[in-house]
Every structure is written in structure tokens, then in C-alpha cells.
Amino acid sequence: MEGKDLRYADANVIKIKHAVLEEVARLAFAGELEERKDDIPMKLIPGPTPQFRCCIYKEREIIRQRVRLAEGKAPGLNDDGNVIQVISSACEDCPISSYTVTENCQNCIGKACINACNFGAIEAGRHRSHIDPSKCKECGKCADACPYNAIAHLQRPCKFSCPVDAISYDEYGISVIDEEKCIRCGKCIHSCPFGAIGSKTWIVDVIKAIKSGKHVYAMLAPATEGQFGSDITMASWRKAMKELGFTEFVEVGLGGDLTAKSEAEEWREAYQEGKKKVTSCCPGFVNMVRKHYPELNDAVSTTVSPMCGVSRMIKAKDPGAVTVFIGPCLAKKSEVVDQKIEGNADYAMTYSEIRAMMRAKGVALEPVENTYQEASVFGKRFGNSGGVAAAVQESLKESGNDIDIKVCKANGAAECKKALLLMKLGKLPEDFIEGMACDGGCVGGPSSFKDQKLAKKSRDALIKEADDRGIYKNLSNYDEDSFSMHR
């Protein structure tokens, strides 16, 4: 996420993050990772002057933990299985106290803040009150009591960004992710200005698969078009992935068409039976349903995601194939690891990870004429909020079932929570929910290369060049009977 990261973190932090991925990829391609990975911290931080922390020793420890993440391991000794992990050595630099006394404090005689605290965490100072972070329980009573509004609540960016309140702090002030609450959306990763939260990668596994001679297929998310400019087409990606060593390349917008057709049939049956359903394409949204609204589990569509649909199609034709999804979504890693759907992608990678592999091999994305198309326009738009609903409604229309269904297009985690709560209470006015955990849909994914607003013009231009084939016409070119589109 080279572009978007810089809005939050220091440029040196991002530079080091990408350098670690590239160095791990380079050593893995050379078959030297095991014997030389311990040299990476020294190589990237030669010293004696630190680049972004208090000392070179802390910087090297952070890099060591990042190397473990790049290998697909937890950064520390304990691994709870979550693909998203806190890098403790980096998190230590974050302010521990959530409540702090500002210069607005008048050091008043009433001491309302001190009287309001039940834990003895506030004491009078010479010029203003002081909060002892080791005693503070973050109840907020002092802030409520202060007549001058002099006590500020400083929420950590990671905690503030989490849509399901899955982040807390341990006794040392290190962020802790509640694995049972976390929906793996990845918002915390790219909100942290210290780069203290990261995700496990499958870079090493994918490189090993490629080097072993297995048939490894790259599957590119439909949200990709426009991310890298109007001259970087699906054909550009196909060329680059073949140069990198992948056996073949498939546009996952094709999976959007497959999912739309299958889900349309589910929606039609549910509509006739008076039942409400929710989409299953966004793994962050599915995780939200299963972890926070388990009563609605049965409402989740049994149709698999476009990623899984394309993977199953490939494996039906090539049983020994290894399938690798590439896109802006971190939750796709969770779909692979946590949902364990038969025939799904073997690995999922972000743009930063695949580009690290490309840099390690000297492969670049180059302009190629926009002639490669495996998806309808509806499949290509699957990555936009409202895109799933539009594709399903188009599929219903093409199949002669143009029913008057109403869809709640929940755009972002906040809207998803609201829609699911209404559905839980039996007060959802619409028939179906299209749930997208990221604002704007997949195009607003946490690991997107470019902000969706900046990429929109290029995306629209590229998709406009696609032909007007319908969903059914496009799928007539493929053997749909060789695999199932249901869980």
C-alpha cells in the first residue's frame, strides 16, 4: 500500500516495511532465506545512526519481527492464529495514557477531576493536574467533571479505527487484538503511525511453489483496474505475472460473474419464500456476521466468493494447481485461513507483497493494450460498493427473473453493523443486504495502492473500454458444470 500508507506513517517506516518484504522475497527466490534471514536487520539498518526509532537496536528488532511476519509467522513467540498481528517492539512507542491534562487546565481550587477519580490516578501539580497512566482505568470521569474541558481523550489510531472494538491494551500499554472479535478487515494496520500492526504473508510459500515447478495461477481482484493508472491493464498484469513465474493469470471479475449468477438464484428462492439473505463475497463482512451477529449465520449466502469460484474453476481443469489471489483486501487471507472452504485459493496476497516479489525479480508493470477481458462489466464492477447488487440484479434480468427486490447496500463497516442490527431485530425494510466492510467496497480496501477517489477516473476509463458482453454470455465460454459455486 505504497500510496495510502504515507498518509499515516513516516516515510522511513514505510520504506523499511517494503524493503523487508523485498529482501525476504529476494532471498527466497535465491534459496538463501534460512541461512541469511538473520542478516536482514543488519543490512537494512547498518548504523550507527538510527533512521526512525530511538536506537538502531530497536529498529533491528522491529525488522526481525517483520521478517517473521513475511515468513507467515507471528512476530513473537505466541501465535493466536490471527493473520493480523501486533509488532510489540514497534507498539511500545505509542503514548500509553488515553487521558491527558492539557494546557487549558486552570489548576482550580475545586479539583473536580481529582474528586471524580475513583482510582487515585490524578494529583495536583504546580501548574496543572497530572494523570498517572499506571493507575488510570480510562473511565473518563475526570474529563466529564472538568469545568474547563481541559482533559483530552487521546484514542490510539488503531483502537479508534477498529469497527468492532477488538483492540485493547495490556498492562504495558501494548495493543492487544481480541481474536474472537477481530473481523480481519485490516483497518488498524494502516491507521497506525508507527507501523506497529502487520499481517502474515505467504510470500515464501508462493515463491517455493513457483520454484518447485507446480502450476501456480495468479488471480487478480476486479478492484485492481485503475489502481495503477489508466495505462496499466489486465493484460499488463498478465504479462508481469508470467514473467514472475506464474503458470497462468485469471481476472477474478470472471468469478464476479460466477457469483452473481449463483447468488441470483439464491435471492430468487429466498424472495419467493419471504426470507432475507446477506451476501458472502466480503470476508470481513462474513466475519462480522459470524462473530457479532451469530443469529444471522443462516442468512449468509451459500454462494462462494469470486476468489473461490475462480480457484475452483482452475482446479477443476488442473487438479494440481496452486491458486494465488492478489488484491487490496487483507480479509481475503482470513477467508483462506479461517473459513477453510474446499477448493478456495491456496494463498492471498496484497499489492505490496506481490510488488515486493516483482522488485526482487526485476519485473515491472508496463503499459499493454487493453485487450484481455475475462469478465463482463458487471463482474469488473464487483469491487465497488453496490457492484454485487447490480450484478445479481442483472443476472436475474438475463435469466428472465426480473423481480422487484430491494437491496440494502451497506457501504463500510458502520453501515454493515446498522443493517445487520436491523435485520436481527426484524426491522430491515429491504429484502437483502450487500455487505462491504470497506468504505467504497473492495476499491477502498486497506491495502489498496491508490485512494479510490484518485483511482476512479482511471478505473472508469479502463472499464469503459471493455465490451458489453452480459453475464450469461460471458459464462457460456466456461464449463460451469465442472465445479460447484456453493459452500
Side-chain angles (χ1 to χ4, degrees):
M1 184 174 139
E2 289 88 338
K4 194 183 287 187
D5 270 343
L6 296 178
R7 297 185 302 172
Y8 306 105
D10 179 80
N12 284 325
V13 175
I14 306 308
K15 180 181 177 182
I16 289 295
K17 172 184 173 181
H18 294 148
V20 169
L21 292 175
E22 181 179 344
E23 193 63 21
V24 168
R26 188 182 67 80
L27 292 176
F29 273 121
E32 302 173 349
L33 182 61
E34 280 303 312
E35 59 266 34
R36 295 185 58 187
K37 64 183 180 182
D38 291 338
D39 298 336
I40 295 177
M42 294 287 289
K43 179 177 180 179
L44 297 182
I45 305 294
T49 305
Q51 297 182 27
F52 55 94
R53 299 285 176 169
C54 60
C55 65
I56 59 174
Y57 307 107
K58 172 165 277 194
E59 291 179 342
R60 288 171 181 168
E61 175 58 22
I62 292 170
I63 289 173
R64 188 189 70 80
Q65 292 190 18
R66 281 205 168 276
V67 169
R68 288 181 59 83
L69 280 177
E71 292 181 285
K73 304 173 183 176
L77 295 177
N78 299 320
D79 188 352
D80 60 3
N82 197 339
V83 295
I84 297 176
Q85 296 281 322
V86 175
I87 302 169
S88 59
S89 55
C91 188
E92 291 168 358
D93 288 337
C94 203
I96 294 176
S97 180
S98 289
Y99 285 89
T100 186
V101 181
T102 70
E103 292 183 355
N104 288 342
C105 178
Q106 302 298 305
N107 210 15
C108 60
I109 297 175
K111 306 299 181 189
C113 58
I114 295 177
N115 295 328
C117 181
N118 296 323
F119 309 103
I122 306 181
E123 58 186 9
R126 182 175 181 181
H127 299 293
R128 59 185 178 190
S129 296
H130 171 71
I131 298 175
D132 184 345
S134 65
K135 297 179 180 179
C136 178
K137 303 301 180 183
E138 301 181 17
C139 65
K141 288 186 177 180
C142 59
D144 294 337
C146 178
Y148 292 99
N149 295 318
I151 300 179
H153 185 200
L154 303 178
Q155 283 189 301
R156 288 189 182 181
C158 59
K159 183 176 176 62
F160 180 76
S161 69
C162 180
V164 291
D165 196 26
I167 297 181
S168 59
Y169 318 130
D170 66 14
E171 64 270 30
Y172 303 106
I174 305 298
S175 290
V176 176
I177 300 174
D178 187 337
E179 195 273 337
E180 294 300 318
K181 290 183 178 179
C182 177
I183 61 173
R184 282 68 161 158
C185 65
K187 285 193 173 184
C188 57
I189 292 179
H190 299 294
S191 68
C192 176
F194 292 100
I197 306 179
S199 69
K200 299 173 185 174
T201 87
W202 283 304
I203 284 179
V204 178
D205 299 271
V206 172
I207 291 173
K208 284 181 179 178
I210 290 174
K211 289 180 62 181
S212 72
K214 294 179 181 178
H215 291 182
V216 186
Y217 291 74
M219 308 185 302
L220 191 64
T224 306
E225 285 188 285
Q227 283 281 310
F228 299 86
S230 58
D231 58 348
I232 300 301
T233 64
M234 283 290 175
S236 299
W237 275 94
R238 185 173 188 271
K239 178 177 180 291
M241 294 302 96
K242 298 274 280 186
E243 290 176 359
L244 193 55
F246 285 94
T247 305
E248 196 46 87
F249 169 90
V250 182
E251 175 186 3
V252 178
L254 166 60
D257 288 336
L258 290 166
T259 296
K261 182 178 178 180
S262 176
E263 202 152 84
E265 181 60 22
E266 276 197 84
W267 284 20
R268 183 187 63 79
E269 292 178 359
Y271 182 80
Q272 292 174 343
E273 296 171 6
K275 297 179 180 178
K276 297 181 187 290
K277 304 282 285 185
V278 305
T279 55
S280 58
C281 307
C282 171
F285 176 67
V286 172
N287 287 339
M288 181 183 288
V289 174
R290 292 182 173 170
K291 294 191 175 192
H292 298 273
Y293 301 89
E295 308 90 343
L296 304 179
N297 272 341
D298 291 341
V300 178
S301 169
T302 64
T303 296
V304 297
S305 70
M307 174 179 80
C308 183
V310 170
S311 179
R312 285 183 175 180
M313 182 190 73
I314 291 170
K315 291 178 179 181
K317 188 175 181 180
D318 186 353
V322 175
T323 52
V324 182
F325 176 83
I326 300 163
C329 179
L330 279 161
K332 281 297 181 187
K333 296 182 180 183
S334 169
E335 183 179 331
V336 173
V337 173
D338 302 322
Q339 296 187 24
K340 294 181 173 62
I341 303 169
E342 184 179 356
N344 206 349
D346 296 292
Y347 307 109
M349 304 185 75
T350 65
Y351 297 136
S352 292
E353 293 160 8
I354 194 66
R355 282 168 60 82
M357 288 176 56
M358 292 165 65
R359 289 193 300 270
K361 290 288 286 183
V363 175
L365 288 170
E366 300 173 346
V368 178
E369 190 176 352
N370 194 13
T371 55
Y372 174 87
Q373 181 180 347
E374 285 194 286
S376 72
V377 169
F378 296 95
K380 289 176 175 289
R381 289 288 188 190
F382 231 69
N384 292 81
S385 175
V388 177
V392 172
Q393 288 171 320
E394 170 64 18
S395 186
L396 285 168
K397 180 180 177 181
E398 291 183 19
S399 65
N401 294 291
D402 195 9
I403 52 182
D404 183 26
I405 58 174
K406 295 178 176 62
V407 185
C408 171
K409 300 167 187 176
N411 179 13
E415 289 189 11
C416 287
K417 289 166 66 177
K418 179 181 177 181
L420 290 172
L421 179 60
L422 288 173
M423 189 173 184
K424 175 183 175 180
L425 297 174
K427 296 182 178 180
L428 181 75
E430 294 87 0
D431 303 305
F432 305 98
I433 299 175
E434 178 206 277
M436 293 281 199
C438 293
D439 293 328
C442 306
V443 293
S447 289
S448 53
F449 179 78
K450 187 182 293 185
D451 185 271
Q452 59 179 304
K453 292 180 181 178
L454 298 176
K456 185 179 185 303
K457 184 176 180 180
S458 296
R459 179 169 175 78
D460 290 343
L462 283 168
I463 295 179
K464 187 177 180 180
E465 293 174 1
D467 63 39
D468 60 354
R469 71 182 74 172
I471 293 173
Y472 272 69
K473 181 179 180 181
N474 186 51
L475 294 180
S476 66
N477 299 314
Y478 303 92
D479 183 9
E480 297 178 74
D481 295 330
S482 63
F483 59 96
S484 170
M485 279 300 295
H486 293 274
R487 296 172 188 263

